[in-house]
Amino acid sequence: MQSDNNDSGTLLKKGKKGLHHIIFSRTAVIILLLLIQVLILFGVFRFLGQYMVYYFSGGIILSLVMVFYIMNSRADPTVKLSWLLLVLAAPIAGSLLYIYIKTNLGYRALQLRIQKIQQDMAQNQDDCVKLPENLRDTDPVLYRMADYMEKVGGFSAYSNTDVTYFPFGEAKFEEMLRQLSKAESFIFMEYFIVEEGHMWNSILEILKEKAAQGVEVRVMYDGTCAFSTLPYSYPEQLKKMGIQCKMFAPIRPVLSTHYNNRDHRKILVIDGHTAFTGGVNLADEYINRIERFGRWKDTAVMVRGQAARGFTSMFLQMWNLTEKAIDNKKYLDAPCNSFDTDGYVIPYGDNPMDDELFGEMVYLDIINQAQKYVHIMTPYLILDQQMITALTFAAKRGVDVKLILPHIPDKVYAFSLAKSHYKELLDAGVSVYEYTPGFVHAKVFVCDDYRAVVGTINLDYRSLYHHFECAAYLHKVSAISDIEADIQRTLEECKKVDHDDVKNEKIKMKLMGHILKLVAPLM
């Protein structure tokens, strides 16, 4: 529901084609077939209506069994509560939905495929990036985090890497064009949203030129783009230009819960030595070429050197999900320059097919380890109990906790959910700011002048629980001062939220937030 997840809002715009084009489109056929399946299920339930006595008796027994099972599951308490409400309100339908989601074959097949790919990729783990043992004593915060990331996620910590921070999408776009024009061996691109316009068309011209020169170009984007931003046949159009292209999880006329797990990553890798990530998708609003929700505030980082290999690995894992695996080693062994820089960079990802909330764990560690401050930019604020506890406890123990959110939202319901947390946060001493020029789409954490994260991971259930995500964890690199400086500049354009603002909020907005909070983990 709420992830940039809610980038998803970008995908629901500009329906400029006539109705006669839509009726016979592949998208319309898919929607029609899905509706037919839903109607069949509805018919089955209607048929069972004649057995209402048995239905209610069985429903009571089933709901008690499901309550027992859900309460003893390993899910987050807020997720459990939402499921319990659904099961108690509609015992049969709620229980069947829960069982279907937990046993869905499409989801399980994808889960097994990911596990196999991760095992294969682990064999290419670069031993030269192991952390020096003396860091266990000299920098225990880094050592423990790097050890967790490597053991649990298979993500390595890299030194000798140059990091450049971009405070707006326009700056990232300009540097992307410069770096793409230098490509000699391969270009990998993985984005949640690709939309035709000035930004993408400018990039595409370079990609076509490079493909004609013999550079290997691979482009992957999320399948939801086929609903509005790109035609379903777009991968075939790019292949005619010499560009290998695919959609991740294209929507097909088969009911499956794995469609809920979107590829929300933003990765560009050039020749294995330069990589980009951050919140910026490939559409014109991200560079303020067009205006949507006021001025669009987004951020990104470029890493040059060994850490680019981490993003190469993540791209290859996603690419190999849907076809026979390509030769990973030749890309991972691409030569990298070594930069004389301080600090470490850990490129990492999160996937919804395991039991580890990797993105959330990194955020929680930053908040819990903070001594002086934690400053955060996020477009969405839909929090589970762990995150609420971490933020409020940090503020109560004297840490300066600041949150920067949009003042002009892209989704009213997501905004109402964010506002439903304001009072609890303010009561604990957390400072909340809204970016008055428009919409904040950045996903940035910075802490105590020496730790930061820039990536794709929002503070909401969709990012933390349901989507494929990525980010760069930065430790004592010089770019961290640029990130904090950008936070301070952004605060100058923000309105600080106080208790009077919460008290005077419109009743409609308050009511919407409190109602949606009951089912937010399931949306």
Side-chain angles (χ1 to χ4, degrees):
M1 154 190 159
Q2 54 277 36
S3 173
D4 156 355
N5 294 357
N6 294 330
D7 278 329
S8 307
T10 311
L11 302 176
L12 300 177
K13 60 181 182 178
K14 301 178 180 177
K16 296 180 180 178
K17 293 183 178 179
L19 182 61
H20 61 288
H21 292 304
I22 297 175
I23 291 175
F24 298 102
S25 70
R26 185 183 179 103
T27 299
V29 172
I30 289 174
I31 293 173
L32 177 62
L33 291 174
L34 289 172
L35 286 174
I36 290 173
Q37 293 178 67
V38 171
L39 288 174
I40 291 173
L41 290 174
F42 179 74
V44 171
F45 285 123
R46 286 289 303 272
F47 172 76
L48 295 175
Q50 58 186 303
Y51 304 102
M52 293 302 293
V53 174
Y54 306 104
Y55 174 87
F56 282 115
S57 300
I60 293 172
I61 296 172
L62 181 60
S63 63
L64 290 174
V65 172
M66 292 304 299
V67 166
F68 180 81
Y69 180 82
I70 292 171
M71 285 299 297
N72 286 277
S73 69
R74 299 174 63 180
D76 179 81
T78 50
V79 176
K80 290 181 183 180
L81 178 60
S82 294
W83 275 116
L84 289 173
L85 288 172
L86 181 60
V87 167
L88 292 174
I92 302 295
S95 298
L96 291 176
L97 179 62
Y98 183 87
I99 294 169
Y100 173 72
I101 288 176
K102 295 301 180 182
T103 60
N104 183 262
L105 294 179
Y107 179 95
R108 296 299 178 190
L110 188 60
Q111 184 182 47
L112 292 174
R113 176 70 173 158
I114 289 174
Q115 291 173 354
K116 176 64 167 59
I117 290 173
Q118 288 177 332
Q119 291 171 1
D120 294 341
M121 295 292 288
Q123 297 176 2
N124 293 317
Q125 191 77 8
D126 194 343
D127 291 334
C128 71
V129 299
K130 300 292 185 182
L131 282 179
E133 188 63 29
N134 68 319
L135 284 177
R136 185 190 297 270
D137 298 318
T138 60
D139 199 337
V141 172
L142 169 63
Y143 191 90
R144 287 194 297 267
M145 175 55 72
D147 187 58
Y148 163 75
M149 287 184 160
E150 183 177 5
K151 287 181 178 178
V152 178
F155 304 111
S156 296
Y158 298 86
S159 59
N160 306 117
T161 297
D162 180 70
V163 180
T164 303
Y165 173 74
F166 304 104
F168 280 99
E170 296 92 315
K172 180 209 173 183
F173 175 51
E174 292 174 4
E175 188 61 34
M176 282 178 69
L177 297 181
R178 281 193 288 269
Q179 296 297 329
L180 284 168
S181 66
K182 300 177 183 178
E184 298 178 350
S185 178
F186 63 88
I187 297 170
F188 294 161
M189 303 189 76
E190 178 185 350
Y191 281 83
F192 181 60
I193 293 173
V194 176
E195 181 176 11
E196 293 179 304
H198 174 74
M199 186 181 190
W200 171 240
N201 293 342
S202 300
I203 292 170
L204 184 58
E205 286 302 312
I206 298 177
L207 298 183
K208 289 191 293 184
E209 178 184 336
K210 289 298 176 180
Q213 294 172 1
V215 175
E216 180 181 343
V217 181
R218 295 178 185 266
V219 175
M220 182 165 61
Y221 58 87
D222 189 74
T224 50
C225 289
F227 277 108
S228 61
T229 65
L230 294 173
Y232 199 91
S233 62
Y234 198 66
E236 298 303 319
Q237 296 181 30
L238 292 191
K239 288 175 184 177
K240 293 177 181 178
M241 304 174 190
I243 299 169
Q244 299 182 64
C245 180
K246 66 168 66 174
M247 288 186 284
F248 175 81
I251 307 299
R252 295 191 173 98
V254 178
L255 290 176
S256 177
T257 59
H258 87 267
Y259 292 134
N260 193 41
N261 308 123
R262 308 314 312 174
D263 183 1
H264 192 243
R265 298 177 178 182
K266 291 94 178 166
I267 294 175
L268 166 61
V269 179
I270 300 167
D271 293 345
H273 58 62
T274 300
F276 292 77
T277 193
V280 182
N281 280 298
L282 306 183
D284 283 354
E285 62 265 34
Y286 293 87
I287 57 172
N288 287 291
R289 186 83 178 185
I290 61 174
E291 183 176 310
R292 297 189 73 236
F293 318 114
R295 180 161 177 73
W296 197 285
K297 167 66 176 173
D298 218 330
T299 61
V301 289
M302 175 180 68
V303 299
R304 295 184 299 153
Q306 292 183 354
R309 291 175 179 169
F311 290 105
T312 304
S313 177
M314 280 189 277
F315 174 88
L316 290 170
Q317 288 181 30
M318 293 299 287
W319 184 273
N320 289 339
L321 273 180
T322 55
E323 64 179 30
K324 184 178 179 181
I326 58 178
D327 181 11
N328 298 321
K329 191 169 178 59
K330 71 174 183 177
Y331 304 107
L332 296 174
D333 288 346
C336 292
N337 292 328
S338 182
F339 292 83
D340 184 17
T341 56
D342 295 327
Y344 288 85
V345 179
I346 308 179
Y348 69 97
D350 197 0
N351 83 74
M353 304 298 174
D354 56 28
D355 295 324
E356 191 73 17
L357 297 175
F358 208 90
E360 184 169 33
M361 292 302 103
V362 174
Y363 282 165
L364 289 172
D365 184 76
I366 291 174
I367 297 168
N368 292 332
Q369 296 276 358
Q371 299 298 312
K372 296 186 296 182
Y373 73 83
V374 177
H375 296 159
I376 300 167
M377 283 194 283
T378 179
Y380 311 106
L381 194 72
I382 305 170
L383 308 175
D384 63 17
Q385 192 57 49
Q386 290 186 94
M387 191 61 67
I388 292 172
T389 300
L391 290 169
T392 55
F393 178 59
K396 289 175 181 178
R397 60 185 174 86
V399 176
D400 176 28
V401 182
K402 286 185 170 67
L403 300 173
I404 299 177
L405 293 104
H407 184 68
I408 303 176
D410 65 336
K411 284 283 187 296
V412 174
Y413 57 79
F415 201 36
S416 69
L417 276 165
K419 287 178 176 291
S420 72
H421 295 297
Y422 280 8
K423 185 178 187 304
E424 183 175 6
L425 294 172
L426 293 177
D427 287 346
V430 176
S431 298
V432 179
Y433 295 81
E434 292 182 359
Y435 178 67
T436 54
F439 183 61
V440 170
H441 190 256
K443 305 93 167 58
V444 172
F445 269 57
V446 60
C447 167
D448 293 349
D449 296 333
Y450 78 98
R451 305 175 81 192
V453 169
V454 179
T456 69
I457 308 170
N458 297 314
L459 281 180
D460 63 10
Y461 286 96
R462 189 143 294 281
S463 257
L464 298 176
Y465 286 76
H466 302 306
H467 282 177
F468 292 88
E469 305 282 359
C470 68
Y473 176 87
L474 311 176
H475 187 93
K476 293 185 178 178
V477 302
S478 61
I480 292 175
S481 62
D482 298 328
I483 297 172
E484 176 58 16
D486 181 44
I487 292 279
Q488 295 302 322
R489 285 193 300 268
T490 305
L491 286 171
E492 294 176 0
E493 299 183 271
C494 291
K495 175 189 183 299
K496 186 174 183 179
V497 178
D498 57 30
H499 283 87
D500 286 339
D501 295 317
V502 174
K503 182 179 179 180
N504 296 326
E505 186 61 64
K506 294 180 180 178
I507 296 297
K508 180 181 178 181
M509 183 69 77
K510 288 183 179 180
L511 185 61
M512 185 187 304
H514 291 311
I515 292 174
L516 290 176
K517 215 171 186 179
L518 298 175
V519 293
L522 309 183
M523 300 178 72

